[in-house]
Amino acid sequence: MPRRPAAEINRTLAAKGFPNTQVQPLSDPHRFYLGTSTARETHALLRALVAGTLLSPSSTALVLKLLRSPVAFTDGIRRTMSSAERARVATKAGWFVDARHEAGVVFDTTGAAVLTYVLFADGQADRDNFGATHPVVQARARLGRFFLDATAQLRGTADAPRHRVARQRPSNGG
């Protein structure tokens, strides 16, 4: 896959309707920090991803596979879920200084999206605690269990794209 310069990524995001979701360019044009977004644009971006209108089908599948990985971020929304339940949740967390954010999608058992969530929490106390004991991370764990249980009986619409779980097995790299 060719690397894209940060400026091109930002232009593409803006053209797709995400002017506030931008990466932060560095002196090397092909390197960047993750940058910033808004809760509204993050929600819209996730909805476009699962609808199949943001990326190609193969890129969509890859991104969702990474966000649903059994060893991906498990301290927040997915903390009190089994491995099978975690596989139904695509999530991305971010934390920097006093901000603790997490956003993602909950899928039904057929792979249809039934809930999109974006939780941005800026100005948090205990800014040096990036672990699972941070109060915001603990609150997200409780919300995650609630989200999963509240959507357990929901089914996506008949025409909703299905994103089935890609079987993944953690390994020690050997």
Side-chain angles (χ1 to χ4, degrees):
M1 176 187 300
R3 293 181 355 176
R4 300 289 182 220
E8 180 180 336
I9 293 169
N10 286 338
R11 283 192 304 274
T12 301
L13 285 164
K16 288 186 174 273
F18 306 105
N20 298 304
T21 303
Q22 300 286 290
V23 299
Q24 182 181 3
L26 298 174
S27 59
D28 176 345
H30 291 95
R31 296 190 50 84
F32 52 86
Y33 288 124
L34 290 181
T36 59
S37 187
T38 65
R40 183 181 305 270
E41 284 191 13
T42 299
H43 188 273
L45 192 141
L46 288 168
R47 299 285 298 155
L49 176 69
V50 298
T53 60
L54 184 66
L55 302 171
S56 70
S58 62
S59 292
T60 297
L62 175 63
V63 169
L64 289 174
K65 179 181 178 181
L66 294 171
L67 294 176
R68 292 167 102 173
S69 170
V71 295
F73 186 69
T74 57
D75 280 346
I77 292 292
R78 300 183 342 157
R79 180 191 234 168
T80 58
M81 296 177 188
S82 69
S83 294
E85 290 170 329
R86 285 178 177 175
R88 290 185 38 218
V89 180
T91 194
K92 174 68 178 100
W95 49 94
F96 185 69
V97 189
D98 64 355
R100 305 291 184 273
H101 304 325
E102 189 169 354
V105 179
V106 177
F107 297 90
D108 70 13
T109 56
T110 71
V114 291
L115 178 111
T116 304
Y117 61 89
V118 178
L119 307 168
F120 278 21
D122 291 330
Q124 297 303 304
D126 202 9
R127 63 187 274 159
D128 293 326
N129 179 0
F130 297 101
T133 60
H134 194 282
V136 170
V137 176
Q138 291 177 339
R140 289 197 320 246
R142 288 189 298 276
L143 279 171
R145 185 77 251 166
F146 175 80
F147 289 166
L148 197 67
D149 293 345
T151 61
Q153 302 305 313
L154 296 180
R155 296 293 170 257
T157 60
D159 61 342
R162 297 303 196 259
H163 302 284
R164 302 214 184 270
V165 174
R167 280 306 209 198
Q168 301 182 59
R169 287 241 181 265
S171 76
N172 66 4

